[in-house]
Structure formats: structure tokens, C-alpha cells
Amino acid sequence: MEIRKILNNNVVVSQNGSKQEIVVMGRGLAFQKKVGDEIDHSKIEKTFVLETHGISEKLAKLLRDTSEKYLDISAKILDYAQSQLPYKLDEYLYVALTDHLSFAITRHKQAIHLKNPLLWEIRKYYKQEFQIAQKALEIIEKETGIALGEDEAASIALHLVNSQLSGENMATAVQITEMVNTILNIVKYHFKMELDESSVNYERFLTHLRFFAIRFVRKEKLEETVDQFFFEQIKLKYPEAYICTEKVATYLKNQFNWSLTKDEEIYLTVHIHRVTNRHKLK
């Protein structure tokens, strides 16, 4: 296995037997080495595969100013996260999370503690990602001796959520979270009730809203597939839920200039009916 690119003295890029680009880490791995030299296998401490073109170049730029120990910590966190999550993580997280950890720990050492304004929403709406982020704090403390707070867990969780958007920026994840939060509040205020967050219907509704919001930020519109008769039947069958859907539609139109299709209105109406009707029956 030969060196194809040197990121710093301890990190190089090589290629595995499947011709995949891999990042290889180890103390002094590239010391007095050059591209084309064989890698000393006894010095290898960690490797991970990069399937996305261009990530190694971004890592190289980042590691000019950032210690590779943060890349190592990020890799451990992402290994754990990938074992827990049902979706594939975007490889850009190696760059984004390494950069974030370096900045967060530097701020902590300078006694600068920033509050995450979305902590409550992230903890509530992205429970699995937040639990993984709390585990990430344990990994960080074990590796650095620094205990970061829940605000940082929320930021790490947002990175994981954002990974579903294939490398789009963090502002996108924030926008999705705020949109989901507002729609849930519209439902709660309309029906004058608290939703049962432990119910399966609530989780289904939440999942629907997340993908609904992701489609919006990606500008993905559903094609109209439903006929007018079925649409009218849904309105008649679930009148209160449909009125609530109209309020959501007004919010989306006023705030984002996004007009819902009839299909989207039907999906929202049915989910709103389920999540509120089961609660009332209970």
C-alpha cells in the first residue's frame, strides 16, 4: 500500500485492494516520506474509506490548520453513529465534524460557551441523533478530558441530521428544524392539545414532516396524482384536520412562497387526523 497523497506527517491518502481511496492515520506515518513510498503497516492506527471524490482535498486543507486528533475523534463518532442510524452518513461529515470539534474545544478552552437556540427542538424532534450526540460527548471527553455541554450535543446532532441532505449547509438543517417546529405548533394550537410524543402516530407524523421539509429545501415537488373526487372525500371525512392543513398551507405560502399540491394536502390531512384523533380517543 503506497502513499498517494500526504495530508500531514500523521495522515496520508492511499488506495485499498478494491481501488477505493482510503485515509490512513498513524503517528509519524509520513515523516520523511514522499508520494509513491510504501506505507509502514506497523504505524497504521486507523483507516477509513472515502467514496466521494474531492473529500480528501477538503481534509488536506482543513488539516493545515487543525490537529488530526480531531479527525480521529470524528471518525470514532461517525463509526458509532453509522452503526446506529438507518441512513447512510455523508462523507463530508469527516470534514464538517472535524472542523466543528476543533472550534468547539478551542472555544471551551477560552471559556466561551455558546448556547444552541435549537437545543430544545433538536432534543425533542431528533431523538436518535441527539442520543448519538450525547454518546459523542462521552467519546470527546474520553479522548480529550474535556466535557462539553448539551448545547454542543445539539450541534453534533444537527450535523447528523444535515447528513441526510448530502452535504448541504447547516443553515438548511436549521431551516428544516424550524419548519417542523412551526407546523407542529400550528397543529397543537389549532386542536388546543398537547400531542402524545410517545405514540407511533406522532413518530410517523414527525418523520413525514422531516421528509416534507427536506423536499422543500431541495425544491422537490410531488407530481399531482390524486383525482379531485378523492381529494374532496378526504376533506369531507376529516374536516377539522383539513382546516388545520389549510393553516399549514397558509404559513408555507406566506413564509416560503410554497404552494402545496393536493397530494401533499392529503398526506398532511391524514397524518394530522391520526395524530390528533388517537389522542382524543385516548
Side-chain angles (χ1 to χ4, degrees):
M1 189 162 57
E2 66 179 36
I3 297 173
R4 298 175 65 88
K5 190 182 303 178
I6 296 174
L7 303 190
N8 66 22
N9 272 344
N10 305 313
V11 187
V12 302
V13 175
S14 185
Q15 200 174 63
N16 64 16
S18 302
K19 303 298 183 184
Q20 293 173 303
E21 192 173 56
I22 59 173
V23 172
V24 185
M25 303 175 68
R27 189 174 299 278
L29 202 63
F31 181 66
Q32 294 184 335
K33 296 280 189 178
K34 61 182 184 297
V35 172
D37 287 350
E38 280 294 310
I39 294 173
D40 184 348
H41 285 258
S42 67
K43 291 184 176 181
I44 295 176
E45 296 171 10
K46 187 173 185 62
T47 65
F48 52 91
V49 177
L50 295 179
E51 298 176 359
T52 307
H53 178 72
I55 296 296
S56 64
E57 283 81 1
K58 291 175 182 177
L59 278 175
K61 290 179 182 178
L62 178 63
L63 292 178
R64 289 172 192 162
D65 305 306
T66 305
S67 170
E68 72 277 353
K69 72 178 180 182
Y70 298 119
L71 174 58
D72 184 39
I73 295 170
S74 294
K76 288 175 180 174
I77 291 170
L78 296 179
D79 281 348
Y80 174 75
Q82 192 62 85
S83 72
Q84 302 297 309
L85 292 169
Y87 53 84
K88 183 172 169 47
L89 293 171
D90 192 286
E91 288 180 332
Y92 184 72
L93 269 178
Y94 285 115
V95 177
L97 191 55
T98 299
D99 187 42
H100 177 82
L101 291 184
S102 173
F103 184 49
I105 291 172
T106 299
R107 280 191 287 103
H108 181 87
K109 290 177 178 178
Q110 296 171 347
I112 301 172
H113 305 295
L114 300 181
K115 292 292 183 183
N116 190 318
L118 293 174
L119 170 61
W120 185 83
E121 286 88 351
I122 294 164
R123 183 165 50 199
K124 185 175 181 181
Y125 303 144
Y126 304 109
K127 292 178 182 176
Q128 189 175 24
E129 287 85 355
F130 189 74
Q131 287 171 356
I132 291 168
Q134 288 179 306
K135 177 67 175 179
L137 296 189
E138 294 177 17
I139 294 172
I140 293 166
E141 184 172 8
K142 180 181 178 183
E143 297 294 326
T144 67
I146 293 173
L148 299 176
E150 281 195 325
D151 290 285
E152 287 302 332
S155 296
I156 293 171
L158 258 188
H159 276 289
L160 298 176
V161 172
N162 194 48
S163 181
Q164 297 179 70
L165 304 175
S166 301
E168 296 173 58
N169 61 39
M170 283 294 289
T172 299
V174 170
Q175 185 180 45
I176 288 171
T177 301
E178 291 176 340
M179 182 184 289
V180 169
N181 187 43
T182 301
I183 293 173
L184 284 168
N185 281 333
I186 289 171
V187 174
K188 288 190 285 187
Y189 287 132
H190 177 80
F191 285 92
K192 296 180 175 61
M193 68 167 65
E194 289 297 321
L195 303 177
D196 180 5
E197 297 175 13
S198 64
S199 70
V200 173
N201 284 309
Y202 179 84
E203 287 298 328
R204 286 173 181 162
F205 186 42
L206 199 55
T207 299
H208 175 74
L209 290 183
R210 286 176 190 156
F211 287 116
F212 178 77
I214 288 170
R215 284 204 312 276
F216 165 73
V217 298
R218 288 178 172 174
K219 309 302 180 188
E220 297 172 356
K221 295 290 287 183
L222 290 179
E223 293 183 10
E224 293 279 10
T225 59
V226 68
D227 59 48
Q228 187 64 29
F229 176 76
F230 182 64
F231 177 67
E232 295 297 333
Q233 289 298 108
I234 292 294
K235 288 167 60 177
L236 288 172
K237 189 171 184 179
Y238 309 122
E240 199 63 32
Y242 181 72
I243 292 170
C244 185
T245 293
E246 287 186 310
K247 290 183 178 180
V248 172
T250 299
Y251 154 70
L252 294 171
K253 182 65 176 177
N254 292 341
Q255 191 72 20
F256 304 104
N257 195 31
W258 186 21
S259 299
L260 297 183
T261 64
K262 286 186 173 64
D263 295 74
E264 288 167 331
E265 288 188 7
I266 285 175
Y267 291 142
L268 269 177
T269 299
V270 171
H271 277 291
I272 289 170
H273 170 75
R274 282 179 176 172
V275 78
T276 57
N277 190 58
R278 295 291 174 85
H279 181 85
K280 285 187 284 189
L281 289 174
K282 188 175 179 181

